[in-house]
Amino acid sequence: MSDQIRLRIQELTTQINKYSHEYYVLDNPTVPDAEYDRLFRELLTLEEQHPEYTDPHSPTQRVGGEPLAEFEQVTHKVPMLSLDNVFDDGEFNDFVSRMRSRVSLAVEDAIEYTCETKLDGLATSIYYIDGKFTQAATRGDGIVGENITAQVKTIPNVPLTLTGDYPRILEVRGEIVMPLNGFNAYNENMKKTGGKELVNPRNGAAGSVRQLDPRKTAERPLAFYAYSLGECERLQVPMPESHFERLQELKRWGIPVSNEVKKVVGTQAVLDYYQDILSRRAQLTHEIDGVVIKVNDINAQQRLGFASRVPRWAIAYKFPAQEELTVLEGVDFQVGRTSAITPVARLKPVFVGGVTVSNCTLHNQDEIERLGIKIGDTVVILRSGDVVPKIKSVVLERRPENARDIVFPTHCPVCSSPTERPEGEAILRCTGRLICDAQVRETIKDFAARKRMNIDGLGDKLVDALHASGALKDVSDIYTLQSRDISSLEGQGEKSAEKLLKAIEKSKATTLDKFIYSLCIREVGESTARDFAQTFRTLEAFQSATFEQLFDVPNVGKVVSQYVLDFFADEANMALVQRLLDAGINWPEIKEVSADEQPLLGKTYVLTGSFNTISRNEIKALLIGLGAKVSGSISAKSDALVAGEKAGSKLAKADSLGVPVKDEDAIVAELKGFGAI
Ligand code: 5U1
């Protein structure tokens, strides 16, 4: 047993040292922080239980990694320590209890805290002597860091001269971060110019500061926020006795401090702060991975002191991981309405970013190749904010010997029809169309959706159940449903059946554009359906339109025209449409408007730039009133570009396409000519 523990300690030490090196020194982590934290905690626990095995070189006995050799070394006069972490309210309460017993504080004596966000960047020390910026250093291993004075000097929000009544010697400590807008803009630019994109803002900040050439650092969007004092020589005036007040002093001397710093009293107020920041995390200007809670009273801090590597008066309360490791156990293939077959990763359930994830889309073959993923692989799952989880990367070093390639099916997993991957497309498709149950089910769901036939209450689960019971074989069956078809299903009663039947009845009165959209013809979206309805005015005219007539419709291209032709060439589709009409689906007639009433009927205008005597919205409304369509993008089919001041790229495009351009005076004159103004 003891041999086993010793071996596990050695194994953990080797692994953590490797990951620390990748994270702190190389700025190239290969596993998520959550995995590192877990290994670290396991090692801490084992060492606490078996102090006889603790090695003075264990990663628990120091902070961070070693400095890069190329930078000059700086020894910190006051060690730059790290913080212990807690991951839930219970662990935070335990931390408070430990503090209380250490300083013999009664439970009813509420503690005052300073709460801060935990910035995800590079911990940095900055020295000011006689109010002048003199030196900056990374934390390094907490004792010796790297001299990054020339690099930090280029960061715009780091003051080079202090103001006010500052101490003669002042060392501030804080975090260098890359704000999200700067990070996004930088990567956007790299994408355009073919340069190397940054992996994430934390790596962006660390990598930028570690540039040996400070001119390169100057090109990167960086910011510094202070969170504590290091060395401080205050000869005449004493420093405030509270951490919060000290941060306010720093601000007064011109040193940036995060706006989210808050002074609170008692445990509940800390937990409220945590929840508040967690709920606003996605809106913050920079990335954070938790909050930091510090006892506010400096005397109490001194009484509490330090454990071997961390203060006893401060703690980081980390957010649920946004990245986690799990295993790809298999891949399922899901068939959608449009016949696309999507690979879906079956994952060993993992708690990430506050939810349990057990599957996520792998999109298509190209994505699988990009990730280089196999079944059995350990993968990094990413869940940022409310965004759907995705597989970020594969941890190749953990690939098992029996890892298997992901093989796409030659036949549809639902209807067994052959599959095909049309040339030039990334997506595999089922050729089964109407005989494929999956496509039928998904089509019924879409048909009933709010923006289509708007059948209130006919949701995905009910469609699945009605389809499984045989009551819904295609969309037209919706209109022959009987009360017992619904009430006989589990969880449904007569009342809900009546309600649904009423909603189905109500849906029969629709509009032509909604009906066209409900047919779910490939590539015919809501606005294209509207264009078709406006142009053809009757279903018969639309159904019998030629390729040329379809292609003539504003904003309709060759691909959509062909899909419409194909749809109505299929007898099964024609029969389905007839059944829907026989069921009583109807819409108001679209009256032909005379050329006098709508002189711009069939014309498409595009607006750009700003106008002085009339607003852009007014021009748009008046043009639509005269029968014109106002489109957001310009094409050879556009009839005119209405260009105000500061017109951008559309003007050049109109020129190159030979589309006539009307300035403000011209469009106003035209509108006046039609009596619109
Ligand atoms: N916001 C914040 N981050 N952070 C990190 N405060 C803070 N304090 C730290 C660290 C390492 O250390 C002090 C408690 C010494």
Side-chain angles (χ1 to χ4, degrees):
M1 179 64 187
S2 64
D3 264 354
Q4 257 177 5
I5 290 164
R6 201 164 40 81
L7 275 178
R8 181 67 188 148
I9 288 180
Q10 272 172 8
E11 201 180 332
L12 286 166
T13 305
T14 310
Q15 229 167 356
I16 291 168
N17 280 342
K18 176 175 176 288
Y19 293 149
S20 282
H21 181 79
E22 288 168 349
Y23 186 90
Y24 287 114
V25 181
L26 304 178
D27 293 329
N28 183 24
T30 57
V31 292
D33 296 357
E35 169 76 352
Y36 180 95
D37 288 339
R38 204 167 22 237
L39 298 174
F40 198 93
R41 280 156 72 87
E42 187 187 341
L43 182 58
L44 264 183
T45 310
L46 284 180
E47 287 178 344
E48 266 162 29
Q49 287 165 353
H50 302 274
E52 69 275 24
Y53 294 145
T54 307
D55 179 330
H57 295 103
S58 161
T60 59
Q61 306 297 306
R62 67 181 171 91
V63 192
E66 289 148 22
L68 287 170
E70 294 94 328
F71 283 98
E72 197 186 292
Q73 296 199 338
V74 172
T75 301
H76 300 296
K77 287 207 179 115
V78 182
M80 281 186 82
L81 296 172
S82 182
L83 282 170
D84 230 347
N85 298 317
V86 292
F87 293 88
D88 58 39
D89 290 0
E91 289 184 355
F92 179 69
N93 283 324
D94 292 346
F95 160 77
V96 176
S97 304
R98 281 197 301 276
M99 283 199 304
R100 284 190 181 287
S101 58
R102 217 163 237 289
V103 289
S104 308
L105 251 182
V107 178
E108 58 276 14
D109 294 333
I111 302 175
E112 191 174 76
Y113 298 98
T114 299
C115 298
E116 304 167 18
T117 49
K118 188 166 187 305
L119 306 178
D120 213 2
L122 186 76
T124 301
S125 138
I126 303 182
Y127 261 92
Y128 290 89
I129 296 182
D130 291 327
K132 300 280 180 216
F133 170 93
T134 51
Q135 179 186 281
T138 64
R139 178 166 64 186
D141 63 5
I143 307 295
V144 179
E146 300 150 7
N147 189 328
I148 49 169
T149 308
Q151 287 76 9
V152 173
K153 201 171 175 183
T154 69
I155 299 176
N157 79 336
V158 172
L160 300 182
T161 308
L162 297 183
T163 51
D165 187 19
Y166 48 78
R168 196 181 73 80
I169 298 174
L170 173 71
E171 182 198 10
V172 287
R173 288 169 175 188
E175 204 88 353
I176 292 173
V177 294
M178 185 171 279
L180 281 164
N181 57 3
F183 169 78
N184 291 330
Y186 182 88
N187 272 0
E188 212 40 58
N189 191 31
M190 287 299 116
K191 216 180 272 170
K192 269 193 216 139
T193 55
K196 194 165 180 262
E197 288 178 54
L198 303 168
V199 179
N200 57 41
R202 196 207 77 84
N203 273 34
S208 303
V209 171
R210 289 246 177 77
Q211 295 289 330
L212 284 169
D213 180 353
R215 285 171 304 187
K216 285 200 178 138
T217 312
E219 288 167 6
R220 305 286 179 89
L222 297 171
F224 171 81
Y225 296 97
Y227 53 65
S228 77
L229 284 180
E231 192 187 355
C232 179
E233 188 193 290
R234 187 94 177 142
L235 292 179
Q236 272 90 39
V237 194
M239 284 296 285
E241 287 300 307
S242 111
H243 174 69
F244 185 81
E245 280 312 317
R246 287 188 174 185
L247 292 182
Q248 307 314 306
E249 279 278 64
L250 292 186
K251 278 206 232 176
R252 283 192 275 274
W253 299 331
I255 294 159
V257 173
S258 160
N259 290 330
E260 300 292 348
V261 175
K262 199 173 168 192
K263 185 165 67 176
V264 305
V265 178
T267 306
Q268 189 52 48
V270 169
L271 301 181
D272 291 347
Y273 176 86
Y274 171 89
Q275 287 301 338
D276 173 48
I277 297 290
L278 181 59
S279 71
R280 292 192 290 113
R281 179 185 197 177
Q283 281 93 54
L284 298 182
T285 53
H286 36 256
E287 283 204 331
I288 59 171
D289 60 352
V291 299
V292 178
I293 301 126
K294 297 172 184 168
V295 169
N296 198 30
D297 179 351
I298 302 290
N299 285 322
Q301 285 187 4
Q302 280 161 357
R303 273 185 289 140
L304 283 160
F306 293 83
S308 63
R309 58 176 193 100
V310 291
R312 290 202 187 92
W313 42 266
I315 199 92
Y317 188 166
K318 291 278 209 82
F319 288 155
Q322 303 228 102
E323 282 186 26
E324 258 299 356
L325 285 182
T326 191
V327 174
L328 177 68
E329 292 185 327
V331 174
D332 297 322
F333 292 91
Q334 250 173 27
V335 189
R337 168 175 67 79
T338 61
S339 76
I341 299 180
T342 309
V344 178
R346 213 175 334 114
L347 303 164
K348 187 166 175 230
V350 60
F351 192 70
V352 53
V355 295
T356 301
V357 177
S358 49
N359 55 52
C360 73
T361 179
L362 278 164
H363 300 288
N364 53 44
Q365 180 98 45
D366 290 357
E367 173 71 356
I368 287 170
E369 279 166 20
R370 190 187 68 76
L371 288 166
I373 190 171
K374 291 186 186 226
I375 296 169
D377 269 340
T378 294
V379 295
V380 179
I381 298 286
L382 171 74
R383 184 177 184 268
S384 320
D386 295 332
V387 183
V388 285
K390 66 172 194 176
I391 294 180
K392 185 184 159 199
S393 56
V394 174
V395 185
L396 281 177
E397 64 174 37
R398 295 207 185 173
R399 173 165 286 169
E401 272 177 18
N402 61 354
R404 286 180 289 129
D405 282 338
I406 297 167
V407 182
F408 275 68
T410 54
H411 289 80
C412 171
V414 177
C415 72
S416 303
S417 303
T419 57
E420 61 171 9
R421 186 173 170 185
E423 221 175 286
E425 273 196 30
I427 293 166
L428 187 76
R429 292 189 184 275
C430 162
T431 55
R433 296 168 38 74
L434 288 176
I435 66 146
C436 179
D437 275 352
Q439 292 179 58
V440 172
R441 262 194 323 257
E442 298 310 306
T443 305
I444 298 172
K445 289 173 192 171
D446 282 351
F447 180 86
R450 198 174 53 79
K451 289 189 165 180
R452 292 183 156 116
M453 294 306 284
N454 191 19
I455 305 178
D456 201 17
L458 188 54
D460 291 1
K461 282 202 177 123
L462 193 51
V463 170
D464 286 343
L466 286 166
H467 183 263
S469 74
L472 275 188
K473 288 189 210 64
D474 66 37
V475 293
S476 70
D477 287 345
I478 294 175
Y479 294 97
T480 56
L481 277 179
Q482 304 292 311
S483 179
R484 64 176 178 283
D485 294 330
I486 306 156
S487 60
S488 61
L489 298 174
E490 209 187 304
Q492 301 290 329
E494 283 187 6
K495 262 197 181 155
S496 49
E498 285 316 307
K499 209 169 152 203
L500 180 61
L501 288 177
K502 262 196 193 142
I504 292 173
E505 193 54 35
K506 193 171 158 210
S507 75
K508 288 181 184 172
T510 182
T511 55
L512 178 59
D513 58 318
K514 286 217 164 85
F515 183 69
I516 293 175
Y517 185 38
S518 303
L519 294 177
C520 300
I521 303 169
R522 268 179 81 180
E523 299 291 328
V524 176
E526 204 180 351
S527 121
T528 310
R530 221 176 286 134
D531 291 338
F532 282 140
Q534 225 173 53
T535 308
F536 295 108
R537 292 190 292 111
T538 68
L539 182 64
E540 294 73 23
F542 176 49
Q543 279 174 316
S544 53
T546 62
F547 181 89
E548 287 70 27
Q549 285 170 324
L550 292 166
F551 184 52
D552 242 11
V553 174
N555 301 310
V556 170
K558 288 183 182 161
V559 175
V560 182
S561 304
Q562 192 57 50
Y563 283 147
V564 174
L565 274 191
D566 292 349
F567 184 88
F568 290 120
D570 189 326
E571 278 183 20
N573 288 337
M574 288 297 269
L576 180 86
V577 170
Q578 193 55 51
R579 285 202 297 283
L580 290 170
L581 298 177
D582 292 345
I585 290 178
N586 65 89
W587 51 85
E589 192 186 339
I590 304 175
K591 287 208 183 76
E592 192 170 6
V593 274
S594 67
D596 287 353
E597 280 172 88
Q598 298 213 306
L600 296 180
L601 203 66
K603 302 261 186 249
T604 303
Y605 282 44
V606 181
L607 306 183
T608 188
S610 55
F611 300 87
N612 296 316
T613 58
I614 185 169
S615 79
R616 197 158 141 164
N617 272 345
E618 262 177 287
I619 300 175
K620 183 175 171 182
L622 291 170
L623 287 171
I624 291 173
L626 291 166
K629 187 175 159 57
V630 175
S631 167
S633 57
I634 195 153
S635 75
K637 286 187 179 185
S638 311
D639 291 289
L641 175 73
V642 181
E645 279 175 13
K646 299 198 192 104
S649 58
K650 284 191 183 125
L651 199 54
K653 195 159 178 203
D655 256 4
S656 70
L657 292 170
V659 172
V661 178
K662 297 176 191 249
D663 65 11
E664 182 165 344
D665 288 346
I667 192 70
V668 168
E670 185 173 353
L671 291 169
K672 277 188 180 154
F674 289 128
I677 42 177

